[in-house]
Every structure is written in C-alpha cells, then in structure tokens.
Amino acid sequence: MYRLIQRACAITLLLTVLGSAAHAECKRLVLAADPAYPPLHWYDGTEMHGASITIAKRILEDLKIPYEVRYLGPFPRVMLAAERGDIDMVATLKKTAEREQFLLYPKNHALANPVAVFSMRNHPFAFKGRADLVGLRGGITRGNVFGDGFDEYMKLNLSVEQANSPESNFSKLGADRLDYFITGYYAGMAYLLKRGDEQRFIALSPFLVDTPNYIVLTRKGNCADRLEAIDAHLAQLKKAGVIDELIRQAFVQWKKNPVVLVK
C-alpha cells in the first residue's frame, strides 16, 4: 500500500513538473505574417510593418510577453512554419477548417478584411455575386484563402490562376490577360495607390466575401496556453478604440513609404 502511495505521489509530481515546464516554454513568442499584404502586414526589406503587426505587438507588450517579429519569406513559408510549430503566432488570418487543424483561433477577431473583385475600369462587367465570375479569367495571389465557402466554390466553378504577388496580378489584369483579380480590398487599394493606378482599376460592388481576420497561435508552438489572455486583452483594446487607431496609422505609414520586398 505504501509503495502504491509513493508511486501515485511520484506520478503527480512528475505531471506537475511537466506541466510547469510546458508553461515555462513560452519564453519568447515568435510572430510572423504574410510579407506582402499591405496595409495589414508587409516587409520593406528591413522589418515587418502593418496593422496586424502593431496590434499583435501592442497586446504582447501590454501582457509583458517577450516576443520576436520574424520575417520568413513568402506567405507559404509562413504557413509551413506555423504548421510545424516553428513559430508561435501569425497575424492576421481568416479562419478556415484546414487552418484550424494546426492553428488556435481566439473568440475575438482583430479586424475586418473584406475581399473584393477588381477589374479594369474601362472593361467593367455585370457583377452581383460569385456566379457572375463563371466563364471569366480570374487571378489570385498564391497562398491566399478567402473563407465563407468561396474557396470551395472557386475550385469547383471558376477558372483562376495564381501569381506570386498582387502587383503581378494587377499587371496581368492591365494587360488583358485576366478579366478580374480577387484580393483583400485594403490590400488591393494599397497596391493601386503605390502604382498610381487607382484610376485604371475598380473594386466591384458588392464585396465578394466580408469575413474577419484573427491573430492566431500555433498548436505545436510554445505559447498555445496564452490564447485566452491574448483574446481577453484584444477585446479590451477593441472596446477602447485602440485597434481602429492602429489600423488608421498603418494606412498612413504605407502611404508614406509603399515599399514591399519579398525574397
């Protein structure tokens, strides 16, 4: 009986130590993001910028969680690192069933990110919804997903080719190699401002998808246990109007220096 009690105590102690060690592993949270999606997140050749980055940094600083913002290259590399658990946080992403397999989503979203269909202003076409894209030549940026069931609809019904950047897609659209280009409205407008092309292209109405973007933690990373605290503080910042101000500042910063460098 005494040996059983000893063994039970030893197991309890071991579990406690292991639990404490797991919690203590979040010594430095590693944050990454898509490097080519201004004004929400972008890389200028030196560091990551954008609304998503500043929101995440504000939360981590307020919670006194040490962090590192890491540039990883093109977006597919970011998602691969997230799936492997090589990083701890991605800012920001739409929610999909596939991503939920390796990412932890908070209850509160960080910001809205409507998805628009862009076309040439002098070659408009009737558009009331996704069905009007059938039979046309479309483009998207590699790695982008849009949510709300549109990704599945696109695979089954639309003719869409992928390019490595929004700039490449706008160039194809301008050269009449595409009939439309699908991207986040804010990101699309940011690139048009950079190119000085806001008069040549138009975002069709209504938005194709209007889904939220989340700051997420990786399931295999070291900081998954911080999700609840991060979510609670995000809710406080949203209520205080801080998030809206950080988004406004990101637009101002992008307009001053619209440089993206992905390598």
Side-chain angles (χ1 to χ4, degrees), residues 73-201:
F75 184 54
R77 293 185 198 168
V78 176
M79 297 307 290
L80 181 60
E83 189 169 2
R84 290 175 173 172
D86 295 337
I87 57 176
D88 304 296
M89 175 182 282
V90 182
T92 57
L93 292 173
K94 294 183 183 297
K95 182 187 292 187
T96 69
E98 181 181 359
R99 289 175 174 176
E100 284 187 285
Q101 298 299 311
F102 58 93
L103 297 174
L104 296 169
Y105 284 78
K107 295 178 182 178
N108 294 281
H109 67 273
L111 45 83
N113 183 23
V115 175
V117 175
F118 286 85
S119 72
M120 290 291 292
R121 191 178 294 273
N122 61 353
H123 289 102
F125 57 89
F127 178 75
K128 294 182 179 179
R130 58 184 67 176
D132 294 316
L133 302 177
V134 175
L136 301 178
R137 301 165 300 166
I140 64 171
T141 302
R142 198 178 311 279
N144 281 184
V145 297
F146 307 107
D148 197 29
F150 179 74
D151 301 284
E152 294 78 10
Y153 181 88
M154 179 174 64
K155 291 177 182 178
L156 291 173
N157 300 285
L158 304 183
S159 176
V160 175
E161 61 183 64
Q162 299 186 39
N164 289 328
S165 70
E167 287 185 291
S168 178
N169 275 306
F170 275 121
S171 295
K172 289 182 179 181
L173 189 57
D176 196 31
R177 293 168 57 191
L178 297 176
D179 297 309
Y180 65 87
F181 166 44
I182 300 171
T183 191
Y185 172 74
Y186 295 134
M189 292 306 300
Y191 273 99
L192 292 181
L193 287 171
K194 176 185 177 183
R195 292 164 57 104
D197 268 348
E198 59 268 31
Q199 298 305 315
R200 292 180 62 211
F201 302 91

